[in-house]
Amino acid sequence: MTRVSEASSPSEPETWSGRALPRLEDPAILRGLGTYVADVAARDPDCLHVRFVRSAHASGRIVSITAPHDVTVFTAADLIGVRPIRAVLHRPDFVAVDTPILAHDVVRFVGEPVAFVVAATEAEAEDAADRVDVQIEEWPAVLSAAHAFSAGAPLVHDVEYPGDPNTVVDGRIETEGFSEVFDGADHVVQIQVSSARQSAMPLEARAGHAAYDRATGRSTLHATLQMPHVTRTGIADCLGIAEDDLRVVAPDVGGGFGAKMTLAREDVALVWASRRLRRNIAWIETREENFLAAWHSREQVYDIDGAFTTSGDLVALRGDLICDVGAYCCYPVTWGVEPLMAMAELTGPYKVGHYSVRSRGVATNKCPIAPYRGVSRPMQVLAMERLFDVAASQLGVDRVEIRHRNLVSKFPHKAPSGLVLDHASHQETLSAAAALADVDGFRDRQLKARTEGRYLGLGISCFAERTGYGTPAFAARNRPYGLAKSASPEVITPGYERVVLTMDSSGGVLLRIGASPHGQGLRTTLAQVVCDELGLGPNNVRVIHSDTDATPYGWGSFASRAMVISGGASLIAAQELAERLRSLAAERLGGLPEDIDLADGHAHRRDTGESVGIPVIARDVYHSAHLLPDKGQPALESVGVYDPSGTFANACHIAEVEVDINTGEVAIRRFLVAEDAGRLINPAIVDGQIHGGIAQGIANALYEELVYDERGVLITTSLMDYLPPTVQEMPSVEVAHLETISAASITGAKGVGEGGTIGAPAAIANAISDALAPFGVGVFHLPATPHRVREAIRSGHDLHVIPRPIPSPESEAIR
């Protein structure tokens, strides 16, 4: 593992931050002692079990739902008074729709829940669900974005659309003078890139266990979640109960990746049923259900036009971005999350003076989308990086040089969308990655391999990863927005984080956080941050999270935010608590608080060498409060709140591949990363995040694809059909770390959770295109499966997706 970073000077005290400590979370999980939702259900032998009955049609009218008398079944007719899920943005181009907990009257995608059964065991529930008869009058379905706003297309929702039919978000930006600059450019490059639907496919599918306390009337939901507090808010709103009547707990979570941050209809139904029957009820999702109904992502098509000078400077960029967002709006971030991110962040780390973009979210009769690791950024980066490679080829400019010419180098940099890029190392990461990959020497290896009938390719991908952004960023998605608009109960603006830090009378520390880790190692990294301030070891800190009864309201973990925002709040709280400890120690040892150092579990007076144990100070506070010299509270507790605008991590990925031209198989021979995530709190955890992200990026590039047939039925519903990469397909990953400290993050850390997934697909697509250059074809659609690669070689045409034919208006009844 290669690291490029400045070492601490000898005079600086050693800190916990920066050490590759083993994760405090791991021993229990590795020994099989973790607690997942299925474990909670297994420990409750008397609980009932639920199985959902789902629509077999993509679009249609529910005619009837019937079941034998010995089957306990609930339908939408039973959920009287239960409000639908409703996620809203205040934008004139935004279309808000209701998501019913169970479909009533109309179904809008295959897998939509129309009923659920309750039985004594999982097996009995599954059998009972099979005995429920659902009659649906099938209607024509909208199965692609192109079909959705074509003439005569059916409407997915019978609502008023401000623009094109089925267009639910329609964002636009155009900078002043764009047309003149674009029309006057020396050279214009036009490309179209697209990506197939994906599933986050967490190892643990969705699951819930709802318990009802007859004594108090309170409910407790254990569920596999990323946002427990927001889930509680959403369920309480739907059921019309006070939030205090519902406790939500996310125990150990077997992968989230964004798909578990969204409020699930099934969780609302589970809590409702538990309260209705006054019993404990569990639901464990099957893998087939997970593929059918547990949120999809990134089915997008971008048309990109870049206006260049003859030397390779990008002077203007135009984009028409279309995101298929499925049948319903995800809560709380809405179905604007993909198109609006793409619009705001398309230019990435590049200098673009003039910009014109239209970005649309289009409803279809398919499973709804939700954020998945990176959200739209893998497609944004694919678009920009393919654009630069094509431009380099057409203009005769070196691929590294054209990027150096266009990467941002002066900070802060204001992008044409208004985003401000803080201090980063775009130029430096490209140089470091190119040196590590020996780009110049690769050409000799490539030519030699071709003489042997082997086709090697090298691909570059540069990107900026927006991380750790709080309410200012989310509020900007509303247009117009402000206090009056934000006061609407339907509008949710995520962002801030709040922590409560407490030291008990023995000197032990409890950190309660609103963030909700699910594999990021947050218990370890936050303990490292806190202990640097308090002079303790990480084992002295216990982090409490993911329990709405025990933690302050927070926004969970998503969008590479937890270390930046929850870490920032933890630092603020630790600094406040440390200041009180220094004041109390100064009273004991003499001198001033600024004369006191906290280290090794003691408070040391710097000039005399005297010290007192931190546990002694803590005991005095709680047990001898009447003697407190500062007349403070008889407790050691502080609160930290942090709500930043965000900071940009950045990286350069380089992939070296070999393409078998006979089979179309792509093998990744090397994968190199130069990453700048600011201050690395725990380098081992950072490397793990990068490696895991790259694995999912490789999946996006080469393997994973959700496929619907001509009737809107998902045909990739098992791991026989949906192909994630295995260890066999994963290359060794070489990482070089650069460190740029930005004032935009008070800890100095930048988020790193999504970068591997963001950069890898474009690097691989460019590498395959480079390998296939002798055949005159390139990759513009992902995944680049062996069949598609082989067909591109044989046909001599670029690898593009073949669009599904749009049915003629005569064949459809317009609803």
Side-chain angles (χ1 to χ4, degrees), residues 433-488:
L436 192 62
D438 186 21
V439 172
D440 294 335
F442 171 78
R443 286 298 172 218
D444 294 332
R445 301 196 303 277
Q446 184 183 50
L447 292 173
K448 183 177 184 298
R450 285 178 187 170
T451 65
E452 301 168 354
R454 297 168 54 230
Y455 290 84
L456 305 182
L458 185 143
I460 303 171
S461 169
C462 299
F463 64 90
E465 178 187 1
R466 192 183 187 193
T467 74
Y469 42 96
T471 57
F474 284 100
R477 293 179 180 177
N478 291 289
R479 192 187 74 210
Y481 65 94
L483 182 60
K485 290 291 185 183
S486 298
S488 167

Side-chain angles (χ1 to χ4, degrees), residues 93 95 108 141-170 323-327 335 360-365 812 814-815:
D93 58 299
V95 177
R108 293 185 171 88
V142 177
L143 300 178
S144 71
H147 181 200
F149 46 69
S150 64
L155 299 180
V156 177
H157 291 274
D158 189 12
V159 296
E160 183 177 345
Y161 296 90
D164 296 326
N166 295 311
T167 300
V168 293
V169 182
D170 192 348
C323 304
D324 182 333
V325 298
W335 49 18
R360 287 172 279 181
V362 181
T364 60
N365 289 116
E812 299 184 325
I814 302 175
R815 300 193 300 281

Side-chain angles (χ1 to χ4, degrees), residues 25 228-229 247-250 497-502 509-517 522-524 526-527 530 541-554 566 570:
E25 303 87 326
H229 286 278
R247 176 190 180 198
V248 175
V249 181
E497 281 300 331
R498 184 170 177 266
V499 307
V500 179
L501 183 66
T502 305
V509 176
L510 186 69
L511 178 66
R512 292 181 286 140
I513 64 173
S516 183
L522 209 55
R523 293 180 188 173
T524 305
L526 292 185
V530 167
V541 177
R542 186 159 65 96
V543 178
I544 301 295
H545 61 84
S546 308
D547 182 341
T548 59
D549 270 11
T551 59
Y553 200 102
S566 188
S570 299

Side-chain angles (χ1 to χ4, degrees), residues 75-270:
T75 69
D78 297 298
L79 273 64
I80 301 300
V82 177
R83 301 186 186 98
I85 299 168
R86 188 173 178 85
V88 172
L89 286 179
H90 277 302
R91 298 175 54 93
D93 58 299
F94 182 85
V95 177
V97 300
D98 290 339
T99 302
I101 308 309
L102 296 174
H104 57 83
D105 299 332
V106 175
V107 294
R108 293 185 171 88
F109 70 95
V110 171
E112 181 169 9
V114 299
F116 64 88
V117 298
V118 181
T121 68
E122 279 191 86
E124 290 177 79
E126 186 170 350
D127 290 343
D130 288 340
R131 298 172 66 197
V132 177
D133 181 64
V134 181
Q135 294 296 316
I136 295 175
E137 176 191 332
E138 188 173 5
W139 288 346
V142 177
L143 300 178
S144 71
H147 181 200
F149 46 69
S150 64
L155 299 180
V156 177
H157 291 274
D158 189 12
V159 296
E160 183 177 345
Y161 296 90
D164 296 326
N166 295 311
T167 300
V168 293
V169 182
D170 192 348
R172 305 180 194 220
I173 296 173
E174 183 165 308
T175 56
E176 186 176 355
F178 170 83
S179 296
E180 292 80 0
V181 174
F182 190 91
D183 294 341
D186 297 331
H187 186 80
V188 173
V189 177
Q190 297 180 316
I191 65 169
Q192 183 186 82
V193 296
S194 55
S195 175
R197 277 193 165 225
Q198 282 188 278
S199 167
M201 206 197 78
L203 185 63
E204 177 197 29
R206 295 181 299 174
H209 176 275
Y212 181 74
D213 186 333
R214 297 190 180 197
T216 65
R218 294 190 81 216
S219 296
T220 297
L221 174 68
H222 283 81
T224 177
L225 303 169
Q226 294 176 231
M227 303 175 78
H229 286 278
V230 179
T231 297
R232 182 185 66 175
T233 295
I235 295 175
D237 285 349
C238 289
L239 300 185
I241 61 176
E243 289 197 37
D244 186 57
D245 285 336
L246 175 62
R247 176 190 180 198
V248 175
V249 181
D252 291 318
V253 175
F257 312 118
K260 293 179 181 177
M261 67 176 283
T262 299
L263 177 61
R265 303 157 82 165
E266 292 86 350
D267 286 339
V268 180
L270 202 63

Side-chain angles (χ1 to χ4, degrees), residues 5 9 11 25 254 282 304 318 410 416 421 517 659 680 743 775 778 789:
S5 59
S9 66
S11 61
E25 303 87 326
I304 302 293
R318 181 167 59 203
K410 295 181 180 179
L421 277 66
V659 179
L680 306 187
F775 302 95
V789 172

Side-chain angles (χ1 to χ4, degrees), residues 256-528:
F257 312 118
K260 293 179 181 177
M261 67 176 283
T262 299
L263 177 61
R265 303 157 82 165
E266 292 86 350
D267 286 339
V268 180
L270 202 63
V271 175
W272 177 86
S274 175
R275 295 177 70 84
R276 168 73 174 267
L277 300 176
R278 304 168 75 86
R279 291 285 301 275
N280 295 359
I281 300 180
W283 168 62
I284 311 298
E285 185 180 53
T286 67
R287 181 58 61 189
E288 181 183 23
E289 283 184 295
N290 189 262
F291 280 127
L292 281 171
W295 313 104
H296 295 171
S297 67
R298 285 201 283 272
E299 185 176 4
Q300 304 181 356
V301 180
Y302 294 3
D303 286 290
I304 302 293
D305 303 331
F308 289 86
T309 66
T310 53
S311 56
D313 294 314
L314 178 62
V315 295
L317 181 71
R318 181 167 59 203
D320 185 7
L321 320 178
I322 296 175
C323 304
D324 182 333
V325 298
Y328 290 103
C329 188
C330 60
Y331 175 104
V333 292
T334 81
W335 49 18
V337 64
E338 285 192 349
L340 296 181
M341 174 183 285
M343 177 180 71
E345 300 182 27
L346 177 63
T347 56
Y350 294 106
K351 297 174 290 187
V352 179
H354 295 272
Y355 184 47
S356 176
V357 63
R358 182 182 186 187
S359 189
R360 287 172 279 181
V362 181
T364 60
N365 289 116
K366 290 184 283 193
C367 178
I369 67 95
Y372 169 42
R373 199 171 192 170
V375 195
S376 287
R377 295 186 189 101
M379 267 293 288
Q380 297 160 209
V381 175
L382 176 68
M384 294 301 291
E385 296 306 307
R386 290 300 292 127
L387 178 72
F388 278 112
D389 264 25
V390 173
S393 176
Q394 293 182 6
L395 295 169
V397 179
D398 178 76
R399 291 180 299 166
V400 175
E401 174 57 27
I402 198 171
R403 288 172 169 81
H404 273 307
R405 293 187 70 90
N406 288 282
L407 284 168
V408 173
S409 57
K410 295 181 180 179
F411 303 95
H413 171 82
K414 188 173 184 179
S417 65
L419 289 181
V420 177
L421 277 66
D422 58 320
H423 198 61
S425 58
H426 306 297
Q427 297 281 353
E428 294 83 356
T429 50
L430 173 57
S431 296
L436 192 62
D438 186 21
V439 172
D440 294 335
F442 171 78
R443 286 298 172 218
D444 294 332
R445 301 196 303 277
Q446 184 183 50
L447 292 173
K448 183 177 184 298
R450 285 178 187 170
T451 65
E452 301 168 354
R454 297 168 54 230
Y455 290 84
L456 305 182
L458 185 143
I460 303 171
S461 169
C462 299
F463 64 90
E465 178 187 1
R466 192 183 187 193
T467 74
Y469 42 96
T471 57
F474 284 100
R477 293 179 180 177
N478 291 289
R479 192 187 74 210
Y481 65 94
L483 182 60
K485 290 291 185 183
S486 298
S488 167
E490 292 183 331
V491 176
I492 293 178
T493 304
Y496 64 85
E497 281 300 331
R498 184 170 177 266
V499 307
V500 179
L501 183 66
T502 305
M503 179 175 285
D504 63 29
S505 60
S506 68
V509 176
L510 186 69
L511 178 66
R512 292 181 286 140
I513 64 173
S516 183
H518 48 278
Q520 299 94 332
L522 209 55
R523 293 180 188 173
T524 305
T525 50
L526 292 185
Q528 289 176 264

Side-chain angles (χ1 to χ4, degrees), residues 576-592:
E576 180 182 328
L577 182 56
E579 186 58 35
R580 179 137 195 253
L581 289 173
R582 280 191 288 267
S583 295
L584 292 167
E587 290 290 339
R588 265 184 169 268
L589 302 175
L592 300 173

